[in-house]
Amino acid sequence: MYVVTGATGNVGRALVHSLHAAGEPVTAVARRIDAAGLPEGVRTTAADLTDPATLGPALRGAEAVFLMVPPTLAPEADAAVMAAVKEAGVGRVVVLSSQSAATRPDSAGHGLRMRHFEDEAKAAGLGWTVIRPGGFASNAYAWAESVRTRRAVFAPFADVPLPVIHPDDIAEVGAAALREPAHDGRTYVLTGPELITVRRMAAELGQALGEEIAFTELTRAEAKAGMLAFMPEAVAEGTLNILGTPTAEEQRISPDVRRVLGREPRSFAAWAGQNAAAFGLSAVRSPAAP
């Protein structure tokens, strides 16, 4: 049996579907679990990594667990999470980390935090696999309201390209790592198949919708002000640093999706076509700064 934490998120939900489709018994875990959108028959359990004492019932009987580290998890709780995993008799863990754990290991909002959890997982005496994705294609959901109401996208760093990754590819690599012990002790960097700018992402989203989408470039300060509504300042700064001044490694297209899955990663255009309904258009207003 496999346990997926963060099971209602973009990666976790897809991972539950992937394991279920392969005929594997799976337990979907989230702080507030809702079976809507999950396959029928999947076991669901409410548990919270920020309260490791809640994990025992969810983990009992599991062969391996997929750990999505919530942003509210304090570093001092990492050891307690891994102790709960070990006490439940789980043999292997797959950690959803971040590429910045390697490219920006001293970044307070990204790399430093994820590196600390990775280290705790590796020190627990269990089989482990670390998955380090770059930017998610699904971050484009942040544009959903402006696309629906204005046919417009507002974003900073219009022409800085990054190889964004489809969450379903992360999920499928996660499923392989959970099911196949041969992935133990390995770290995978996951990216999409090509470098793409946010300006082009907006255009490809428009193509998926059959509508022209206007693009307005925000200043860094404007973007940060919007991001602070839903993320801590350190995380916002770290995100903007990656988006605006990516390192050579952050712009490198990784071969790891192909190595694990035997195929090329999905493109942003594929993600846009798959998720166009989330951007369904309503009454249009003239594009203006948010």
Side-chain angles (χ1 to χ4, degrees):
M1 189 266 288
Y2 301 104
V3 171
V4 177
T5 67
T8 57
N10 292 316
V11 174
R13 191 180 299 275
L15 176 53
V16 170
H17 277 272
S18 180
L19 291 168
H20 185 264
E24 301 288 5
V26 56
T27 296
V29 175
R31 185 173 59 178
R32 296 184 184 89
I33 191 68
D34 182 352
L38 295 175
E40 185 176 351
V42 166
R43 177 185 174 225
T44 59
T45 302
D48 188 351
L49 265 67
T50 65
D51 183 4
T54 67
L55 296 175
L59 296 173
R60 200 163 294 120
E63 176 182 343
V65 59
F66 181 84
L67 293 173
M68 195 285 291
V69 182
T72 53
L73 182 67
E76 53 268 23
D78 292 353
V81 169
M82 294 312 305
V85 171
K86 194 168 185 177
E87 185 177 344
V90 177
R92 294 183 292 113
V93 296
V94 177
V95 176
L96 179 60
S97 182
S98 168
Q99 185 182 28
S100 61
T103 60
R104 299 173 189 261
D106 299 320
S107 170
H110 287 80
L112 186 64
R113 176 69 195 92
M114 297 311 304
R115 176 73 79 166
H116 187 274
F117 192 90
E118 287 184 13
D119 290 345
E120 289 289 351
K122 292 175 182 178
L126 307 173
W128 59 266
T129 306
V130 170
I131 295 175
R132 292 175 175 169
F136 287 21
S138 54
N139 289 343
Y141 280 135
W143 306 334
E145 182 180 359
S146 66
V147 170
R148 283 194 301 266
T149 60
R150 310 182 193 185
R151 290 185 173 87
V153 165
F154 303 89
F157 312 119
D159 300 306
V160 179
L162 287 165
V164 296
I165 178 78
H166 194 308
D168 287 2
D169 287 336
I170 303 172
E172 290 184 26
V173 171
L178 286 170
R179 299 175 70 201
E180 302 165 17
H183 297 288
D184 283 2
R186 301 197 179 180
T187 298
Y188 295 119
V189 176
L190 305 185
T191 71
E194 61 180 343
L195 289 167
I196 185 169
T197 65
V198 288
R199 191 191 301 275
R200 187 176 144 210
M201 288 166 67
E204 292 194 353
L205 183 57
Q207 291 176 6
L209 293 166
E211 298 280 349
E212 183 175 348
I213 303 297
F215 182 86
T216 298
E217 184 171 17
L218 300 179
T219 66
R220 180 184 176 111
E222 289 170 336
K224 180 179 176 180
M227 295 164 75
L228 290 178
F230 57 90
M231 66 175 65
E233 183 171 9
V235 177
E237 285 287 354
T239 299
L240 290 166
N241 289 340
I242 293 170
L243 295 176
T245 54
T247 66
E249 183 63 18
E250 288 163 347
Q251 290 186 306
R252 184 180 74 91
I253 297 166
S254 170
D256 285 350
V257 169
R258 183 174 66 251
R259 285 173 175 165
V260 176
L261 301 180
R263 61 162 178 79
E264 294 300 316
R266 297 170 173 91
S267 65
F268 178 81
W271 181 89
Q274 181 181 335
N275 295 282
F279 298 83
L281 301 175
S282 59
V284 179
R285 295 180 291 173
S286 297

